[in-house]
Amino acid sequence: MSKGRAEAAAGAASILLKYLQEQNRPYSAQDVFGNLQRDHGLGKAAVVKALDQLAQQGKIKEKMYGKQKIYFADQEQFDMVSDADLQCLDAKIVDLTAKVQSLQQTCRHMEAELKELASALTTPEMQKEIEELKKECAVYTERLKNIKAATNHVTPEEKEQVYRQRQKYCKEWRKRKRMATELSDAILEGYPKSKKQFFEEVGIETDEDYNVKLPDP
């Protein structure tokens, strides 16, 4: 075996020994390969060979279950745990389980409250008003386009009036969009999911969904 291969094999054995000792539970070679392949890039053949080598050296234990070989850390290296310690651990597990259930229930309540708040922000009246403003804005944008294309059909006063109306509606559009953004950002601070998931759940549609952009000031 070349020096490079020997070092690679020793490195794989070291990684597997540390993993089995830290996890302290039985694994098949396939389990070990699947759990460590992403982080360490170990091939399955290298994993099997290293596990067999560790077992032959007495650093880990192996047992046959049917046609499958199982590997696990040598239990003699670990300190004995008394019944009192086990009872203490059981009590901690029960306590932590109760805390997890409580947190999960709190999260469910928060999700329900967030949906109610989001629903209040997207009432049919507000959606209807937004759509009407968009339509009016589109009409005035088209009118402005035609006015700019004309030569002698519009007086300076009429042109200025159109510009003022355009600025008014764009300002209102920008104001309402900012309000909606601020409210949704406030909700998302305590929302456990992504912004996209939040919008999908409550049915919020944005200008970006329809490739609509605010006109330049």
Side-chain angles (χ1 to χ4, degrees), residues 49-170:
K49 185 175 181 179
L51 288 172
D52 287 338
Q53 180 184 357
L54 289 170
Q56 291 173 5
Q57 294 172 351
K59 294 181 179 180
I60 64 174
K61 298 294 183 180
E62 64 178 9
K63 283 189 177 182
M64 291 296 299
Y65 285 91
K67 296 182 179 180
Q68 190 175 44
K69 191 179 291 186
I70 301 298
Y71 302 89
F72 52 92
D74 186 357
Q75 298 302 299
E76 293 182 0
Q77 66 182 305
F78 300 111
D79 295 332
M80 294 296 295
V81 180
S82 66
D83 290 340
D85 291 335
L86 289 175
Q87 291 176 358
C88 181
L89 289 173
D90 288 338
K92 288 182 179 180
I93 291 172
V94 172
D95 180 58
L96 290 174
T97 301
K99 288 181 179 179
V100 169
Q101 292 175 346
S102 177
L103 288 173
Q104 289 176 337
Q105 185 176 6
T106 301
C107 287
R108 287 193 292 267
H109 288 163
M110 289 182 64
E111 288 181 0
E113 292 176 358
L114 288 171
K115 287 182 179 180
E116 291 180 2
L117 288 172
S119 177
L121 293 175
T122 55
T123 61
E125 292 79 8
M126 180 179 289
Q127 289 287 1
K128 183 178 179 181
E129 187 173 353
I130 290 173
E131 291 301 321
E132 289 177 353
L133 286 172
K134 287 181 179 179
K135 291 178 181 178
E136 289 184 17
C137 185
V139 170
Y140 284 111
T141 299
E142 184 65 24
R143 284 183 59 186
L144 180 62
K145 179 181 177 181
N146 295 334
I147 290 171
K148 285 182 176 181
T151 54
N152 300 319
H153 300 157
V154 180
T155 66
E157 292 77 12
E158 291 174 331
K159 184 177 181 180
E160 181 62 26
Q161 182 181 3
V162 171
Y163 273 113
R164 285 198 302 269
Q165 289 177 332
R166 176 180 181 272
Q167 290 175 344
K168 172 186 175 182
Y169 286 108
C170 287

Side-chain angles (χ1 to χ4, degrees), residues 165-178 214:
Q165 289 177 332
R166 176 180 181 272
Q167 290 175 344
K168 172 186 175 182
Y169 286 108
C170 287
K171 181 179 179 181
E172 186 66 22
W173 185 354
R174 192 173 290 106
K175 175 183 176 182
R176 291 175 181 271
K177 184 171 183 177
R178 184 175 63 253
L214 270 166

